[in-house]
């Protein structure tokens, strides 16, 4: 790693470690001061300036502190994209606590596990999923619940119109001494923040969850320097391609509980002084109308979203000529989607790659046409090895190997999971690398080219789904003795989820519908298998390990044959 300068994307990159030794919110506070009267956020038609956004964040931070949240505590964010999410995310950090963002469509079964694993003491949730939180509350570490609604921060007349036309979802909230309302907390809170010392290298900035190989999601603790490093580098690499102070407008469709969305929200929006147009629900007509209305220039999506827009029957009714820079991540971008997008909108799609455990790892160079299949060049602070998965020895240029990533600033462990840590964080030449389980090759041009991912991970509509988590749920069913879950290739969704099950000998009358309903009660909708197949046995290795990759290849061959007919 260079100590002074690195030639990257044809530009000289100044590498200064001191820049990374600050809290995540520090750069945002500087921008809020510099561009105080410019638009920072647009949500359902309402606009917030940078000064107003900072006030919202600071008020919520102080409200949390008043409730007893302090340095080192965890606050779970169980809400969709909204200003309340941003307030909860940065507000928690400002008092030394750590936000724990999770999918707002998780079931009570999932949310109870996550709350207890993170040992969260407060949760910020929508009124529409308050019932789930209330159901599990007595069995968790929670001290209290903070409830909000989609329209809480909108003007009264917008709320009234939305209510009259039944456009605003509402949930039933039971008042209790442990239940607090977001809008009341903000109204009663002051702007006088407590003085909190934050160590950027040692203190937790956030706790994200990713799929586990043993059936349960793993918590990934992240310090402040790790986040600041990749946000700063993406911003630096984008210099000359992404403007600041409102020169560009960034639409945020991807869910903010995801690593990629958080990183780009900061790198292209909040630390550049550019407005973010926040979408609570990924509705294609609403997305296209927003691009046209606000003349959006920066776009982030997953392959499924790009395909949904291209195949939308009303896409030609909207003017999307303002789009200037389009970025894709979370899954491999099919070349035909890129070609169709370029033909339709006149812009190529650049790619980025990373993992929750190490943050952003690489991006396509923005100064040239993206190469098909490339996931870009590693960021200066991310060291990437392409290694033989058995020997961990580096493979030659253009040969396929497993992607290993190291970053000086990141923590090298999972949250309270020593076995998972030992499996995924390994020493190579005395330094600790993260094993992604993904396979790629490094080209002679220095770019990484994605080949395949671990059989343990299924990519469905941009979501990273743990096969083993679904298997664990299926195997909890009293009639199931063994289960295997794989992704079946699908043009529209990336992969469809298929469960293959072996029933106990004495099991009677158990149908695939019974097992699907069992999963629906315990898993978020996007994790539920599309279909279940019954078999007498599953292939296993000599030591009894499930050969999931073998079944996956079998399903791929079936899908290919079906496509050829």
């Amino acid at each position: 790693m260079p100590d002074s300068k690195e030639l990257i994307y044809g530009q000289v990159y100044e590498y200064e470690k001191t820049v990374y030794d600050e809290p995540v919110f520090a750069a945002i506070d500087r921008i809020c001061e510099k561009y105080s009267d410019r638009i920072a956020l647009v949500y359902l038609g309402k606009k917030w300036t940078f000064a107003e956004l900072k006030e919202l964040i600071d008020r919520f931070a102080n409200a949390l502190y008043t409730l007893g949240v302090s340095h080192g505590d965890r606050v779970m964010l169980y809400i969709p994209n909204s200003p309340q999410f941003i307030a909860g995310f940065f507000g928690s950090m400002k008092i030394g606590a750590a936000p724990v963002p999770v999918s707002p469509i998780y079931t009570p079964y999932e949310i109870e596990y996550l709350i207890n694993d993170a040992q969260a003491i407060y949760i910020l949730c929508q009124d529409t999923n308050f019932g789930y939180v209330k159901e599990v509350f007595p069995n968790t570490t929670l001290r209290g619940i903070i409830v909000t609604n989609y329209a809480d921060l909108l003007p009264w007349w917008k709320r009234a119109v939305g209510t009259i036309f039944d456009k605003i979802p509402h949930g039933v909230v039971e008042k209790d001494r442990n239940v607090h309302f977001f809008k009341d907390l903000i109204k009663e809170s002051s702007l006088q923040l407590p003085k909190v010392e934050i160590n950027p290298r040692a203190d937790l900035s956030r706790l994200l969850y990713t799929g586990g190989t043993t059936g349960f999601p793993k918590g990934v603790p992240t310090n402040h320097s790790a986040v600041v490093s990749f946000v700063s580098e993406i911003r630096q690499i984008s210099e000359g391609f992404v403007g600041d102070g409102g020169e560009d407008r960034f639409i945020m469709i991807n869910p903010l509980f995801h690593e990629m969305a958080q990183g780009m929200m900061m790198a292209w929006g909040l630390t550049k002084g550019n407005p973010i147009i926040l979408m609570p629900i990924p509705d294609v007509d609403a997305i296209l109308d927003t691009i046209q209305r606000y003349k959006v220039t920066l776009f982030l999506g997953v392959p499924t979203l790009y395909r949904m827009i291209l195949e939308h029957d009303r896409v030609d009714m909207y003017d999307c000529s303002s789009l200037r820079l389009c970025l894709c991540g979370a899954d491999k971008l099919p070349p035909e989607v890129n070609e169709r997008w370029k033909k339709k909108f006149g812009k190529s799609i650049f790619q980025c790659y990373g993992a929750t455990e190490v943050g952003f790892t690489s991006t396509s160079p923005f100064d040239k046409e993206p190469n098909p299949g490339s996931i870009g060049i590693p960021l200066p602070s991310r060291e990437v090895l392409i290694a033989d998965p058995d020997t961990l020895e580096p493979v030659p240029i253009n040969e396929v190997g497993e992607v290993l990533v190291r970053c000086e600033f990141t923590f090298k462990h999972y949250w309270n999971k020593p076995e998972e840590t030992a499996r995924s964080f390994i020493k190579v030449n005395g330094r600790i690398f993260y094993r992604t389980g993904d396979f790629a090759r490094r080209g002679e041009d220095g770019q990484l080219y994605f080949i395949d991912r671990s059989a343990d991970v299924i990519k469905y509509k941009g979501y990273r789904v743990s096969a083993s988590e679904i298997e664990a749920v299926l195997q909890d069913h009293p009639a199931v003795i063994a289960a295997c879950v794989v992704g079946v290739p699908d043009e529209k969704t990336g992969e469809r989820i298929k469960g293959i099950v072996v029933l106990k000998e004495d099991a009677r009358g158990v149908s695939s519908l019974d097992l699907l309903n069992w999963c629906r009660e315990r898993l978020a909708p996007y994790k539920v298998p599309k279909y279940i197949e019954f078999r007498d046995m599953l292939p296993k290795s000599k030591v009894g390990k499930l050969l999931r990759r073998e079944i996956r290849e079998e399903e791929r061959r079936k899908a290919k044959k079906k496509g050829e007919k």
Side-chain angles (χ1 to χ4, degrees), residues 258-290:
H258 192 273
E259 165 84 28
M260 179 173 69
Q262 292 169 21
M264 297 313 298
M265 168 182 68
M266 291 183 270
W268 281 1
L270 297 182
T271 65
K272 291 283 283 183
N274 290 321
I276 296 170
I277 298 94
L278 203 55
M279 307 293 291
I281 299 169
D283 175 81
V284 176
D285 275 307
I287 291 167
L288 294 170
D289 179 66
T290 298

Side-chain angles (χ1 to χ4, degrees), residues 45 73 313 343 453:
D73 289 331
D313 55 4
K343 185 176 180 181
R453 67 183 149 271

Side-chain angles (χ1 to χ4, degrees), residues 448-462:
L448 304 175
Y449 291 83
F450 188 86
I451 304 298
D452 200 2
R453 67 183 149 271
S454 165
D456 295 326
V457 178
I458 299 168
K459 287 294 183 71
Y460 173 72
K461 290 187 175 180

Side-chain angles (χ1 to χ4, degrees), residues 42-44 80-82 104 150 252-253 255 277-283 286:
V42 181
Y43 174 76
L44 299 180
N81 289 4
S82 59
Y150 280 99
M252 178 50 67
I253 306 160
I277 298 94
L278 203 55
M279 307 293 291
I281 299 169
D283 175 81

